[in-house]
Amino acid sequence: MSKKTKLELTWIGKDEHPKLEPRILIEDPDKSYHASVRHSEVDIFDNMLVHGDNLLALKALESGFEATIQAIYIDPPFNTGEAFEHYDDGLEHSIWLSMMRDRLTILHRLLHESGSLFLHIDDNELGYIIPLCDEIFGRSNRISIVSFKQSSVSGPKARNPGVVNISSFILLYAKCKPKWKNKNVYRSIPRDSRYNTFIRNFDAGIESWEFVPLSQGIEDVYGIKFKDWERDAGKNFERKMERFVLAERDRVVQLVSVSDSDVNADARENLAASRREMQVFHSPRADLDDYYFYNGKQIAFYRSKVREINGSLTTAERVSTLWDDLLSNNVHKEGGVRLPNGKKPEALIRRCLEMCTDPGDWVFDSFLGSGTTAAVAHKMRRRWIGVELREQANTHCLPRLRGIIDGTDLDGVTMAEGWKGGGGFRFFNLAPSLLQQDRYGNWVISKEYRPEMLSEAMCKHLGFTYAPSQHADEYWSHGYSTEKDFIYVTTQQLTHDACRKIAEDVGPERSLLVCCKAFNADPDKFDNLTLVKIPSSILTKCEWGRDDYSLNIANLPLADQDSDEVDDPSAVPVKRGRKSKASSDAELSLFDTPGSAEE
């Protein structure tokens, strides 16, 4: 057996990788939005909403956000099979897997070394996406597979034969597990009704104590129904606090105050975040823990189970791999926008972000849908980037995010996060392809590219950071790769004298890549200049003119239904970009007369 053999998932077309064009992003100031006033000193305004193909958008963001994103949540197409009714099963999965592989590869590069990926999927592709993620992220970096209860056992689903499917799954991966940022997250759980003990006649002394059910004691002391007392338990804390004790095997457990004894140092430490008084009963027995009462109710009998959640002390436990407490009948109302069969509850995204991010961290979603991830990240004071291909970017995401910024969105996690409004975002569209073919088949620069757009695009293509100098004597500096290596982009034809002048202005201590339409000079005469022509210098770098890498099944041709196999992998019905008619070393026209070629 070959030493290079490895365990992996294979599929038709796995070795085919698209040559993506690194597009630039064009801001639409009419759709960018920010609050009219600052609500705090930490308001965030550099969030990004991108409208366009998500694979091209990922490529566009890669150079500026590599190893920057702290949390990625994606909810990709589940590939339920309806769109592939007439296609071979192996072909169906292959198209979907290639789509996911290309995106996950870039997402992995965008993640910070301490970052997390949350991939939401159902069981149609669960068995395939796990080994794919293992291959890209590393099996050792797989943290958990969470089951998310997203519906109840009722409605139309309950009439289907077999087991009722009410859950989906969230795959959690770390970029680098040893450096992974993660936090303990807790969920509320019901208190144990076995410990609802009320002490009557407490002030009369221990000999006169009577132990009655909590509901009876509340009615006796306050003269109100227990359910009404329970409803108002968070109000008038001092007035409603009562003294309790646990009766165990006909004897009284010792009562201590939160300000007394060594045992309460632990209590104060564990409950410091709440800054509220609690009564603690400390057991003299070594095998028993302390007991905590809050608002007249015993909320835990272990210190570790007392937590403050959404502003209230409650019995709590660490979240597990079963999330069955986030189902909400009001999801369709969140954000004031509707997205049937595709909208996720804000509480779900909040839990994901609570686990691995802090305020100010970058959050990313390249399948934004109705904008839930961006909405929750904004309310939680995280920076965010969202990408949406469809018109939902305008019809759903824009109004939803504007409502959050204005403070008019009161749904979802707004109250839990104490959100009042503020901040802003910038709206971007993907630029068109840099090169296009003229009517003679020659590749030329798109007429839509203004000089500054061309400079930024060339920086992306050639690995430079776009940063035009603001100094007139550094007209030649449009970007840099190092402190002494720069790039200059022009559509002029440069003469020998022009090149000599540029070389003198750059100076011997710096180097400059000059991208121009044409040049009439000997490049070897200038030690600090490298001269290249556009578009020939970038012609073979990527697929030009392709704007859609989505899973566009509607445009695929019908397969031969009589065939049991796909004999030729090249016959996979995936829409391809147009190939260049020119060779890689051709000198093609830029803005010359159509049909002419440079010599």
Side-chain angles (χ1 to χ4, degrees), residues 9 11 89 93 96-97 124-133:
L9 178 68
W11 64 86
D89 179 71
H93 293 293
W96 188 86
L97 284 168
N124 285 290
E125 293 289 355
L126 181 65
Y128 294 84
I129 196 67
I130 292 175
L132 175 60
C133 288

Side-chain angles (χ1 to χ4, degrees), residues 14 26 57 78 96 202 251 253 274-275 291 309 344 376 437 441 487 586:
K14 180 177 180 179
I26 308 298
F78 282 2
W96 188 86
F202 184 89
R251 67 186 182 84
V253 181
S274 71
R275 297 191 299 275
Y291 300 85
I309 297 179
K344 298 299 180 287
V376 175
Q437 285 182 309
I487 185 173

Side-chain angles (χ1 to χ4, degrees), residues 5-21:
T5 300
K6 62 179 180 179
L7 183 66
E8 64 177 323
L9 178 68
T10 62
W11 64 86
I12 299 169
K14 180 177 180 179
D15 294 332
E16 299 177 12
H17 298 266
K19 297 175 68 177
L20 300 173
E21 177 186 357

Side-chain angles (χ1 to χ4, degrees), residues 21 83 110 115 138 177 222 226 402 432 493 540:
E21 177 186 357
L110 292 177
K177 194 171 183 179
Y222 296 124
F226 176 68
R402 285 171 178 166
Q493 286 186 292
T540 61

Side-chain angles (χ1 to χ4, degrees), residues 157-165:
K157 288 184 178 182
R159 294 193 291 269
N160 295 334
V163 177
V164 182
N165 186 1

